[in-house]
Amino acid sequence: MTIIGLLLTALLLLVLVLFAISNAAPVALQLWPFDVSWEVPLAGAVLGAAALAFLLGALLAWGSALHYRRRARKMQRAAQLLEAELAEIRAQQDAANPVPSTAPAASTALAPTH
């Protein structure tokens, strides 16, 4: 993580701690069809609701990206198959058309002897 990321994370944590300290009064939470009441600090209720909303949003974003991830995997497999086919075709071409050697041919001229 970069320094900027660490600073932003520290700032967010500071704001959350100050929010929790400032809103410690108990609040009764109720769910309509049930006759149950649960007392929690206000900050806990707000932060809990925010955490649930974040998790729901993350789940929806993950679900909506499934189609694109599946498509990317399919395209990656197709690209691998095409690369293997290309390598096979190149190997066949190299076998059919050997490349002439670039090394100099040995001279047949006789060298003068003394």
Side-chain angles (χ1 to χ4, degrees):
M1 208 183 248
T2 64
I3 298 295
I4 296 174
L6 288 173
L7 289 175
L8 289 175
T9 302
L11 181 64
L12 177 65
L13 286 175
L14 177 67
V15 169
L16 289 176
V17 167
L18 290 175
F19 177 78
I21 291 171
S22 299
N23 296 294
V27 176
L29 298 179
Q30 299 173 341
L31 188 59
W32 168 68
F34 307 108
D35 195 22
V36 177
S37 178
W38 186 36
E39 282 203 18
V40 295
L42 176 62
V46 172
L47 294 175
L52 285 176
F54 172 79
L55 290 176
L56 179 63
L59 182 65
L60 289 174
W62 177 78
S64 67
L66 279 177
H67 169 71
Y68 297 109
R69 286 196 298 272
R70 188 177 308 122
R71 185 175 173 193
R73 277 193 305 271
K74 184 178 176 183
M75 288 184 167
Q76 186 177 20
R77 281 192 300 264
Q80 288 173 347
L81 288 173
L82 289 172
E83 286 174 353
E85 186 178 339
L86 178 62
E88 183 180 327
I89 290 172
R90 284 184 177 162
Q92 288 173 356
Q93 283 181 344
D94 289 344
N97 301 326
V99 178
S101 177
T102 57
S107 175
T108 57
L110 293 175
T113 58
H114 292 26

